[in-house]
Amino acid sequence: MINITLPDSSVRQYPEGVTGVEIAKSISEGLARNVLSIQVNDEIWDATRSISSDSKIKLLTWSDPEGKATMWHSSAHLMAEAIELLYPGVKFGIGPDIENGFYYDIDFGNYPISSDDFPKIEKKILELAKEKQNFLRKDVAKTEAIGYFTGKGDEYKVELLQGLEDGQITFYESGKFTDLCRGPHIPDTSFIKAIKLLSIAGAYWRGDEKRKQLTRIYGISFPKQKELDEFLVFLEEAKKRDHRKLGKELELFAFSQKVGLGLPLWLPRGAALRERLEMFLKKVQKKAGYEQVMCPHIGNVELYKTSGHYQKYGESSFRPITTPVEGEEFFLKPMNCPHHCEIYKVKPRSYRDLPVRLAEFGTVYRYEQSGELHGLTRVRGFTQDDAHIFCTPEQVKDEFKGVMDIVMLIFKALNFKDFIVQISLRDPENKEKYIGSDENWEKAERAIREVAEERGLNTVIELGEAAFYGPKMDFMVNGFHGEGCPWPEMAARHYPG
RNA sequence: GCCGAUGUAGCUCAGCUGGUAGAGCAGCUGAUUUGUAAUCAGCUGGUCGGCGGUUCGAAUCCGUCCAUCGGCUCCA
């Protein structure tokens, strides 16, 4: 017998080899019908997998995010099975669950495929779901695994396998479909009662734009048809609140092909709104000890070479403007940072003058690839409420705190309640990508983390997402459609010179 | 930039396999004065995204470019 600790801390005894489904049955039949996967200690397992030692468990259902993830991951497998039956010979990339559903990256070879094919695929998936296929987990040796996918001609899987360690490779088999997969999966496919394929898109293999583009099919599934219907209504509602639609209807902003793509025109009502917001923000900044400054819209290329931005972003800026006689090169200002540094350097400063806080509503222009543009959230010309604080290393933490308090104050005023805070640190494997000393990086990273903790913020830490000059803290406000939308960002910076 | 889709009146859209454009709402004119989006009648309004091609004839087929949308990549 082994001891199983349930989430309420009660301990029950079960025979060795007991499965999540069996534990669920011993609690209630209803739970057993709904259990999708099981958390065993810190891992998520198949609910049908045997547990052989004392464990702390949590049965996961549709109401748990992990349960949903299991369902969606299994749905990706099922979709792949359906596609393989309908389009023999296609090759598979990866097929994970995501925040809202799942996708699978597939090389369709010469099959033409479009969203018109979705109904056919959906129908096949539901057919297969009804077959109550089990997901069989198998440990496979690396050579055997490579052999299987080489034989099948799935070169993408072979490539994935080459990066994996022998002894940790598992296959999952459901119906006629076998996939390289860590799992876990739902007990059987009949849990999937409703499925909707949402969109089709190109996606580079392994996220590398130099490699082949596979066809990615997005979908979502539910344990009840009613939930799918509700989700579709939710999507419709989100469409109604799209800022692009509202901006047009309320006459806040517009775009003109003649002016250029990604260059918004602010209409009288939008400009009025923006003015009010700016006045409010400037008032807040003044109170917090910021001084307003102003800079021209162009700057000598040398300025950006000194700051390091040129080397990093020169290619993704508009081409330089050249003076007709002298041939000097100017950039359309892509960021305010180096200008503010020049303002700081206008006169000699004593440490007693610090911190110096400079703020500006600075308009910047960046070359964004045409396919990246999106309403007002991704444009080629925009105004940043930008500030730079010059302070001693000892003051970093307090200054960060101050900035965070301002952000919180503004969020409260604007009624932004639903947001997550992302702390972006440097990639410890690639330190040469960043400028500045290790010591200062560590100091800055520590300050950010400590402040976030002291303020009790719900944070996510991402390694390797820092800017080249310093760690960042981003506030992602969740819009109505639940998508993370980056809003304020603050960063500690090191400047050479 | 890449993959896929879309592009018809101010807005939302219809127009099957080619025969020179339609509806609702908005707008205008008039009637109605009725309790709350949106009462009635009439009218105005479109080089069917641009350019080229096939055809006796193209919104419809082909090519190309542009823009938009969903993703990918990128995001100082």
Side-chain angles (χ1 to χ4, degrees):
Chain A
M1 297 297 263
I2 54 172
N3 293 314
I4 297 292
T5 309
L6 302 178
D8 64 359
S9 301
S10 65
V11 179
R12 295 193 183 202
Q13 289 207 321
Y14 291 94
E16 197 181 320
V18 70
T19 67
V21 174
E22 287 160 4
I23 295 171
K25 256 186 202 149
S26 75
I27 296 169
S28 88
E29 279 293 331
L31 181 59
R33 272 197 304 276
N34 289 314
V35 68
L36 297 170
S37 54
I38 179 171
Q39 182 173 344
V40 179
N41 301 320
D42 290 327
E43 287 178 42
I44 313 289
W45 283 20
D46 306 313
T48 52
R49 193 168 157 189
S50 300
I51 303 167
S52 53
S53 58
D54 289 357
S55 303
K56 198 170 171 228
I57 65 121
K58 183 183 177 198
L59 293 162
L60 301 167
T61 65
W62 183 250
S63 46
D64 300 294
E66 300 90 345
K68 281 193 176 78
T70 307
M71 169 84 127
W72 287 333
H73 185 191
S74 298
S75 302
H77 275 237
L78 194 59
M79 177 173 82
E81 184 184 351
I83 287 172
E84 188 161 60
L85 288 169
L86 293 168
Y87 309 91
V90 297
K91 297 168 186 177
F92 294 96
I94 55 165
D97 56 271
I98 51 176
E99 200 183 336
N100 272 313
F102 59 89
Y103 67 77
Y104 217 117
D105 284 348
I106 301 164
D107 183 349
F108 276 91
N110 292 322
Y111 289 110
I113 187 95
S114 77
S115 50
D116 295 341
D117 300 299
F118 286 179
K120 188 171 73 182
I121 301 170
E122 286 165 1
K123 205 178 138 220
K124 192 78 187 168
I125 294 172
L126 289 174
E127 260 175 58
L128 296 170
K130 286 200 187 113
E131 289 179 10
K132 270 195 151 199
Q133 299 175 0
N134 292 308
F135 287 88
L136 297 175
R137 181 188 169 89
K138 282 198 290 193
D139 287 307
V140 186
K142 187 166 172 174
T143 47
E144 191 192 331
I146 291 176
Y148 173 79
F149 282 111
T150 306
K152 201 180 159 201
D154 266 357
E155 67 226 45
Y156 305 103
K157 295 290 180 190
V158 173
E159 186 181 324
L160 290 174
L161 276 163
Q162 270 149 3
L164 295 179
E165 258 179 63
D166 199 4
Q168 298 187 358
I169 294 167
T170 51
F171 276 9
Y172 272 84
E173 198 180 305
S174 53
K176 294 184 189 67
F177 184 71
T178 300
D179 205 353
L180 166 66
C181 180
R182 197 183 297 139
H185 283 286
I186 55 180
D188 73 71
T189 55
S190 70
F191 283 76
I192 300 165
K193 293 278 196 289
I195 192 152
K196 175 92 186 158
L197 303 188
L198 297 169
S199 67
I200 185 164
Y204 299 106
W205 171 234
R206 311 208 101 175
D208 184 344
E209 67 178 320
K210 289 184 187 65
R211 303 199 62 177
K212 183 159 179 168
Q213 200 160 40
L214 307 181
T215 303
R216 176 172 297 179
I217 297 182
Y218 287 89
I220 191 163
S221 59
F222 297 90
K224 284 182 190 156
Q225 179 64 37
K226 194 174 149 233
E227 299 218 29
L228 170 58
D229 296 340
E230 281 167 8
F231 177 75
L232 294 176
V233 169
F234 168 80
L235 284 186
E236 287 303 311
E237 290 295 312
K239 252 187 218 167
K240 284 185 203 159
R241 286 160 177 75
D242 190 308
H243 83 277
R244 291 167 295 187
K245 184 174 151 74
L246 293 176
K248 194 178 195 175
E249 283 171 4
L250 300 175
E251 292 187 20
L252 300 178
F253 59 88
F255 289 91
S256 146
Q257 289 189 26
K258 277 195 176 147
V259 172
L261 61 164
L263 298 169
L265 301 168
W266 288 84
L267 309 180
R269 296 171 64 173
L273 198 66
R274 211 175 120 163
E275 195 186 3
R276 273 188 76 177
L277 185 61
E278 267 187 37
M279 274 163 53
F280 164 66
L281 294 171
K282 280 181 180 164
K283 218 167 86 186
V284 171
Q285 286 164 359
K286 193 170 181 187
K287 231 175 168 174
Y290 288 78
E291 298 170 286
Q292 292 290 328
V293 295
M294 288 179 185
C295 300
H297 285 222
I298 63 173
N300 197 297
V301 167
E302 290 307 316
L303 175 66
Y304 306 103
K305 282 187 181 162
T306 306
S307 70
H309 286 98
Y310 179 83
Q311 292 80 338
K312 182 106 176 140
Y313 300 108
E315 287 303 309
S316 49
S317 296
F318 282 104
R319 294 297 85 214
I321 307 164
T322 315
T323 54
V325 180
E326 301 84 351
E328 292 171 293
E329 289 192 313
F330 290 87
F331 258 167
L332 214 40
K333 183 176 66 176
M335 75 292 293
N336 303 301
C337 330
H339 298 75
H340 288 186
C341 289
E342 291 306 304
I343 291 176
Y344 175 79
K345 280 161 59 186
V346 156
K347 61 176 184 183
R349 310 270 182 175
S350 152
Y351 70 93
R352 274 184 301 238
D353 297 332
L354 301 179
V356 170
R357 307 185 187 94
L358 304 177
E360 175 183 10
F361 282 81
T363 301
V364 297
Y365 300 90
R366 296 173 182 178
Y367 169 74
E368 304 286 0
Q369 296 190 93
S370 58
E372 290 162 346
L373 299 168
H374 181 98
L376 287 184
T377 64
R378 197 77 186 271
V379 287
R380 285 181 170 172
F382 62 101
T383 301
Q384 293 178 312
D385 174 9
D386 204 358
H388 293 87
I389 300 173
F390 300 85
C391 65
T392 65
E394 291 69 40
Q395 290 170 328
V396 165
K397 193 172 160 186
D398 277 339
E399 289 305 312
F400 239 101
K401 235 184 250 182
V403 176
M404 199 178 296
D405 290 344
I406 292 180
V407 171
M408 288 302 124
L409 178 78
I410 294 166
F411 273 26
K412 207 172 163 198
L414 300 179
N415 204 20
F416 289 167
K417 290 179 187 142
D418 186 15
F419 59 88
I420 50 171
V421 181
Q422 177 181 316
I423 296 179
S424 303
L425 305 179
R426 120 184 118 141
D427 179 357
E429 309 286 316
N430 277 310
K431 288 190 177 172
E432 65 283 0
K433 276 192 346 201
Y434 308 92
I435 60 168
S437 68
D438 270 1
E439 193 197 336
N440 277 342
W441 267 92
E442 274 152 30
K443 223 175 241 176
E445 292 190 345
R446 197 173 333 117
I448 292 191
R449 299 173 74 149
E450 283 173 8
V451 171
E453 203 167 310
E454 282 169 31
R455 286 289 186 270
L457 293 177
N458 180 20
T459 56
V460 189
I461 292 179
E462 293 288 342
L463 294 179
E465 291 292 314
F468 74 91
Y469 47 69
K472 290 193 301 186
M473 176 180 273
D474 295 288
F475 292 76
M476 330 268 233
V477 179
N478 280 328
F480 178 82
H481 49 300
E483 200 176 284
C485 179
W487 284 81
E489 169 196 313
M490 45 173 133
R493 308 182 173 210
H494 311 268
Y495 270 105

